[in-house]
Amino acid sequence: MTCDPVVEGIHFVRTAPPRQIGWKAMARNLSDIAAMAGTPTFAVVSLGLRPSTPLRWIEEVYAGLHQAARQFGAEIVGGDTTHVRGAQFIVVTLLGRARRPVLRSGARVGDRLFVTGPLGNSLASGHHLTFTPRLAEAQWLRRHARLHAMIDLSDGLARDVRHLVRPGIGIELDSARIPRRTTLAAALYDGEDFELLFAVAPASAARVGRRFHEIGRVVARPGVRLDGRTLPARGYDHFA
Amino acid sequence: MTCDPVVEGIHFVRTAPPRQIGWKAMARNLSDIAAMAGTPTFAVVSLGLRPSTPLRWIEEVYAGLHQAARQFGAEIVGGDTTHVRGAQFIVVTLLGRARRPVLRSGARVGDRLFVTGPLGNSLASGHHLTFTPRLAEAQWLRRHARLHAMIDLSDGLARDVRHLVRPGIGIELDSARIPRRTTLAAALYDGEDFELLFAVAPASAARVGRRFHEIGRVVARPGVRLDGRTLPARGYDHFA
């Protein structure tokens, strides 16, 4: 069960195409279900709308919400609407099923770390409004790899990679291998990528490596390092 | 599965006690589960917060959310937080179980209509921040009455009663019997009551009438009437 708010002026600009705004609001939640290797089922939608908003805009937002839900086998079954005076918002809550959910906490020393696609520059390029949640990739991994831990990247690799760290394990990243849309800094510190970051057993690395990008490994030494040097926990912080 | 947004400046004033704001945000959703004679189970919470909001305020909101959840057997299992520049919001999504959910659509000609408590003046009196969701009452009704249709009152009796109307049935209300906190107009047109409005078979009316307030009946003549005269559909409309 996951919920993820999308707020005007924060997650989308007022002039963004409303169908893409709806797509994004649903796809963020689909990405959360993908991160646990789950299958999405049912969603409800809370909308905060200014009374001056044209009906056409709302219909387009809903078209985007439905399109993303349908494409990945989910269904919108209800919701509620309120008026707001300032920024509009869309909160989708999504249910999913997983026989054996993949958690953030399962990484083991020796595991190899991968990402499903290139990182960075998502906001500037518009990728954040049109991205594909990695549900199919997660199902493939669940079937074809010894998948120990997984997370979706929303606040930047340098920040989110820390969610895989536990006492007694650390992470080494190799900058040359991080797939990027523009610069390394953007790949590390920008947010809204919605690619999956995951750890698999070494025995799965060769097979997984033919499809995805290996960017590092799980080690016994605590902390997160890039090319051997401590990586600062920068990235997107809602309350920085 | 229900979700119900609570927005600063709309559902609460900025100076309201944060514990009560949290209580209300959860209790509104509990009321939706009560309206189907369900049992609440799990909730997630989306918060939109200004970065300047003191941590203490947020802790108090969460204390209220947890208190309401716990009191009625539900549990908060996750959520997400975003920053906002303007009005803060709380969106609770709540799951519930019901072996045989009671719907809005089941009223039959001859049924008697009841409410669980006095109506009106909820916003001015502060009742809307401290009300008790009618989960216990709904369970009692499910066991002890032939309960055909139910709804919780959030937008005023005169508006919400229409949700029980279907083609081929109408509703007659008796103004003298409507329990009220202040005036009849307030009982009809104010919102945020969160009492249950329900229809039971005539055979159940005597037993139910010892506990609750009978306010009308379901008839074959279409429309909604008060003391025999058509009742306008006024009440709280978010987009009027």
Side-chain angles (χ1 to χ4, degrees), chain A residues 10-232:
Chain A
I10 311 286
H11 302 95
F12 62 90
V13 294
R14 207 186 265 220
T15 53
R19 191 178 288 244
Q20 293 186 358
I21 296 167
W23 173 277
K24 175 176 184 172
M26 183 61 69
R28 284 169 68 94
N29 286 276
L30 292 164
S31 181
D32 283 332
I33 300 293
M36 299 185 85
T39 305
T41 55
F42 300 108
V44 290
V45 178
S46 275
L47 291 179
L49 299 167
R50 280 184 298 275
S52 60
T53 295
L55 185 58
R56 180 78 190 140
W57 189 92
I58 303 163
E59 287 171 344
E60 282 289 300
V61 166
Y62 252 95
L65 286 164
H66 278 298
Q67 195 182 339
R70 236 185 342 254
Q71 183 166 329
F72 298 97
E75 193 184 343
I76 300 172
V77 295
D80 198 9
T81 305
T82 183
H83 81 275
V84 295
R85 298 204 185 88
Q88 304 192 113
F89 64 78
I90 307 166
V91 180
V92 173
T93 302
L94 179 62
L95 299 181
R97 282 208 191 91
R99 201 169 297 172
R100 289 174 50 211
V102 178
L103 307 181
R104 298 172 167 193
S105 56
R108 304 177 201 174
V109 173
D111 280 356
R112 309 289 190 85
L113 272 187
F114 290 81
V115 290
T116 49
L119 308 180
N121 203 45
S122 181
L123 281 167
S125 66
H127 177 73
H128 73 112
L129 289 169
T130 59
F131 72 91
T132 300
R134 299 304 188 193
L135 287 154
E137 290 78 359
Q139 289 304 314
W140 185 90
L141 287 166
R142 195 181 56 76
R143 284 194 302 273
H144 298 294
R146 285 167 53 197
L147 184 58
H148 288 163
M150 194 153 61
I151 187 175
D152 68 324
L153 295 174
S154 57
D155 295 334
L157 175 63
R159 177 172 294 272
D160 285 335
V161 68
R162 276 153 234 280
H163 294 300
L164 301 186
V165 171
R166 289 174 294 132
I169 71 167
I171 283 171
E172 305 275 0
L173 297 173
D174 179 352
S175 67
R177 303 180 79 173
I178 296 172
R180 60 200 75 171
R181 218 171 259 105
T182 55
T183 64
L184 175 65
L188 290 170
Y189 303 118
D190 284 359
E192 309 272 300
D193 290 312
F194 300 107
E195 299 293 345
L196 298 175
L197 170 69
F198 56 94
V200 299
S204 299
R207 187 168 196 180
V208 170
R210 285 193 287 274
R211 248 186 105 155
F212 302 112
H213 310 266
E214 187 172 345
I215 63 167
R217 59 209 170 92
V218 180
V219 295
R221 184 178 163 209
V224 175
R225 282 166 302 282
L226 180 74
D227 303 336
R229 289 156 67 162
T230 298
L231 182 66

Side-chain angles (χ1 to χ4, degrees), chain B residues 72-146:
Chain B
F72 297 97
E75 193 183 343
I76 300 172
V77 295
D80 198 9
T81 305
T82 182
H83 82 275
V84 294
R85 298 205 184 87
Q88 304 193 113
F89 64 79
I90 307 166
V91 180
V92 174
T93 302
L94 179 63
L95 299 181
R97 283 209 190 89
R99 202 170 297 173
R100 289 174 51 209
V102 178
L103 306 181
R104 298 173 167 191
S105 56
R108 302 176 202 175
V109 172
D111 280 355
R112 310 288 190 85
L113 272 187
F114 290 81
V115 289
T116 48
L119 308 180
N121 204 46
S122 181
L123 280 168
S125 66
H127 177 73
H128 73 112
L129 289 169
T130 59
F131 71 91
T132 300
R134 299 305 188 194
L135 287 154
E137 291 78 358
Q139 288 305 312
W140 185 91
L141 286 165
R142 196 182 55 76
R143 284 194 302 272
H144 298 293
R146 285 168 52 196

